[in-house]
Amino acid sequence: MVAGHRLICPHCGHKTRFRYDTRPVASRWRHLDLGPWRLELAADLRRLCCPTHGVVVEAVPFARPGAHRSRGLDDLPAWLATRMDRSAVARLCRVSWRTVGRACERVVAAEMDPDRLDGLFRIGVDEISWRKHHKYPTPGGRP
Ligand SMILES: [Zn+2]
């Protein structure tokens, strides 16, 4: 069981002291490897009745809702993916290629500001060409 008396809805942050029940099986999350050892977290989680979302499993501070990986194992591959190719990230973190993509999706959905493009009114795109005769890969490019 996660420490704390208040249960928090993972979707809206609603807090309550009343639990609906306790899940019969422990929830498990994979965390960053500890040297050569694979590290897994386990906890008996409670469920709460949120007025908006109904009966849901309580939020935990170390993992995003619905993820089977800890925040650390989501954040590290997502950060590494901005600096190296996906296959290298998968091998370094000892996760599958698809897991790297899912980690990036979760981090972007949770951490990026949805209003970051407000006020943007113009985007400039530069053409690339190949060979010496200015051939452009897009149809609108110069011949
Ligand atoms: Zn809720």
Side-chain angles (χ1 to χ4, degrees):
M1 186 177 301
V2 176
H5 296 288
R6 291 192 174 232
L7 290 81
I8 301 171
C9 174
H11 306 293
C12 66
H14 169 75
K15 295 178 183 176
T16 181
R17 292 180 186 272
F18 304 103
R19 75 172 174 202
Y20 183 81
D21 63 1
T22 302
R23 291 190 67 218
V25 294
S27 299
R28 295 183 176 277
W29 301 267
R30 184 170 169 203
H31 191 49
L32 295 167
D33 290 342
L34 193 60
W37 297 287
R38 181 183 165 128
L39 189 59
E40 205 170 82
L41 307 170
D44 293 326
L45 294 183
R46 302 162 292 184
R47 296 196 308 165
L48 65 127
C49 189
C50 174
T52 308
H53 300 101
V55 178
V56 293
V57 178
E58 67 177 315
V60 290
F62 51 82
R64 293 187 174 87
H68 297 285
R69 315 251 180 257
S70 70
R71 284 181 186 268
L73 194 54
D74 269 352
D75 293 348
L76 181 66
W79 183 82
L80 288 172
T82 64
R83 281 147 178 88
M84 62 175 64
D85 68 273
R86 198 167 169 173
S87 298
V89 174
R91 188 163 182 183
L92 181 67
C93 296
R94 294 196 290 189
V95 296
S96 72
W97 197 76
R98 290 182 182 203
T99 299
V100 174
R102 284 193 293 263
C104 291
E105 288 172 4
R106 278 193 294 271
V107 170
V108 166
E111 305 298 332
M112 287 194 77
D113 180 14
D115 301 330
R116 67 189 179 284
L117 299 179
D118 288 356
L120 178 70
F121 60 93
R122 185 176 297 163
I123 297 176
V125 179
D126 196 9
E127 287 280 345
I128 58 170
S129 65
W130 74 97
R131 297 193 178 167
K132 291 183 178 178
H133 301 292
H134 298 285
K135 294 182 178 181
Y136 295 90
T138 56
R142 287 178 277 168

